[in-house]
Amino acid sequence: MDALYPRLLVRDFPAAVAFYRPVLRELLGVEPVKVLPGYANWDIGGEAGLVLFGRDRLAEAIGTTDLPQTGRDTAMLVMKVDDVDAAATRLAGHGATVVAPPQDRPDWAPTLRAAHLRDPEGNLIELQSY
């Protein structure tokens, strides 16, 4: 179960895949589970180990396309939860700021629901269920 994992938000997606594919093969013996335009993931022991995601694609989702590339997020923590709406409310109650409210994201995955928040330090968090 992919409960908690890092997602790197990359500017040059093809170059990032070209780097991580051989590195993860040589160091951990893993191949990508999926490589799609703007999205790639590697599992380790049946769970998500690393995900690459196009930075521009995420900027569109959370409304930061007006920022220059150097001002956009470069990483986020992804948490799989049973109820995105309830989890977003709970995190907000602990001081997180909602960046993109809970919504269905069928263009990312057929049954994906996600919300994006920032912790008190400004780190980006994605809550997801599918």
Side-chain angles (χ1 to χ4, degrees):
M1 170 159 107
D2 302 334
L4 182 67
Y5 61 91
R7 180 176 290 174
L8 300 181
L9 308 172
V10 298
R11 182 177 44 244
D12 186 340
F13 182 79
V17 171
F19 173 79
Y20 281 103
R21 187 184 302 247
V23 165
L24 295 176
R25 177 186 305 128
E26 292 171 23
L27 295 180
L28 302 175
V30 296
E31 295 293 335
V33 173
K34 186 184 311 182
V35 177
L36 304 170
Y39 178 89
N41 72 289
W42 287 260
D43 286 359
I44 301 168
E47 295 188 20
L50 176 66
V51 172
L52 301 179
F53 199 79
R55 195 179 296 175
D56 289 339
R57 197 169 173 202
L58 184 71
E60 291 172 12
I62 65 172
T64 57
T65 54
D66 58 326
L67 295 177
Q69 282 285 342
T70 56
R72 294 184 187 174
D73 294 285
T74 59
M76 75 172 146
L77 186 62
V78 178
M79 291 185 231
K80 184 177 179 198
V81 296
D82 291 331
D83 183 333
V84 170
D85 298 70
T89 298
R90 179 166 278 171
L91 266 67
H94 286 287
T97 303
V98 176
V99 177
Q103 57 194 290
D104 295 331
R105 297 264 185 206
D107 53 322
W108 291 2
T111 61
L112 180 69
R113 185 164 180 77
H116 294 88
L117 300 96
R118 293 197 185 280
D119 71 13
E121 288 288 321
N123 298 301
L124 190 61
I125 298 170
E126 179 177 289
L127 302 172
Q128 61 175 229
S129 65
Y130 48 93

